[in-house]
Amino acid sequence: DGDGGGGGGGGRRLEARVRFYSTLPDTWANRAAVNLGALPRDAVVQDRAFNALELARAQGAAPLAFDYDARAAPGEATVRFPPEARRRTEVFVAYSRGAEWPGPGSEAPGAPAGAVRAFATAELVRQVVLGARRAEASDVEVASSFFLMEDGRVEGRRRFARYLTPRDAGFFGAGGRPARVWDWAAALTPLRTP
């Protein structure tokens, strides 16, 4: 759900399917744990390609594909559009960080009542739209917080902040503040498979 903060969602309600997987990441810490006879730590990761396509389609965009390889180039992706659109978007993740709240989820900043666990992420992304004889870049910061509720649902909030680049009018006057901000509330409900 978009609450329209800063001219973003405009109060529109979007519904899209998203996928997350529980996995055992191949990290140094997990390899050390296994070698020492301990259990590795699991992680929940998003299916970035599927989620990007579904969320874009829910907002009315019509991309054909989202090319992403988490192992070969985890910080890069390409959004492809139909040939008649004569454009594509290259996405580069400049910074990505995530952390689980160390204590009970109900004590995390901004946690709703009934939160059991809390997790926050932040990414800084450069999007470069390549079209016929033009290239347009923008920097977007995405900050998210997710809360696992007692009943198994996940509630969350996402803030998208778009920054000007030196080619934009008003870049120097912005003083590093975002030119536009979108705030979204999210409710994730697990779908049961037959």
Side-chain angles (χ1 to χ4, degrees):
D1 292 336
D3 70 4
R12 293 185 302 155
R13 179 177 176 82
L14 300 177
E15 193 165 316
R17 290 179 62 133
V18 293
R19 288 195 297 221
F20 291 83
Y21 297 102
S22 179
T23 185
L24 293 174
D26 184 20
T27 62
W28 182 88
N30 275 351
R31 287 191 302 270
V34 169
N35 288 337
L36 294 171
L39 291 174
R41 186 172 167 100
D42 67 336
V44 175
V45 295
Q46 71 167 312
D47 182 340
R48 192 180 287 267
F50 180 85
N51 294 352
L53 280 175
E54 290 296 308
L55 291 169
R57 289 176 179 151
Q59 295 177 65
L64 282 178
F66 187 88
D67 301 328
Y68 175 72
D69 186 338
R71 290 196 184 273
E76 299 176 15
T78 300
V79 182
R80 289 187 288 124
F81 293 89
E84 61 272 11
R86 301 179 64 190
R87 68 179 170 135
R88 74 177 192 274
T89 301
E90 299 289 336
V91 179
F92 304 95
V93 178
Y95 174 83
S96 182
R97 182 116 175 134
E100 185 171 354
W101 181 256
S106 59
E107 296 176 5
V116 178
R117 292 172 69 186
F119 187 81
T121 65
E123 287 187 327
L124 181 60
V125 176
R126 168 149 294 175
Q127 299 175 349
V128 182
V129 178
L130 302 168
R133 293 187 282 275
R134 74 178 184 110
E136 182 179 312
S138 63
D139 292 328
V140 179
E141 183 177 23
V142 183
S144 306
S145 53
F146 298 99
F147 304 95
L148 176 62
M149 307 304 289
E150 292 170 342
D151 62 4
R153 291 177 304 111
V154 174
E155 291 186 11
R157 289 188 294 278
R158 293 192 113 177
R159 171 166 281 183
F160 295 83
R162 182 185 177 280
Y163 293 87
L164 298 177
T165 63
R167 293 180 57 174
D168 295 318
F171 170 77
F172 295 103
R177 293 181 307 277
R180 193 158 181 202
V181 175
W182 299 265
D183 285 323
W184 295 86
L188 306 174
T189 306
L191 297 177
R192 304 290 175 221
T193 54

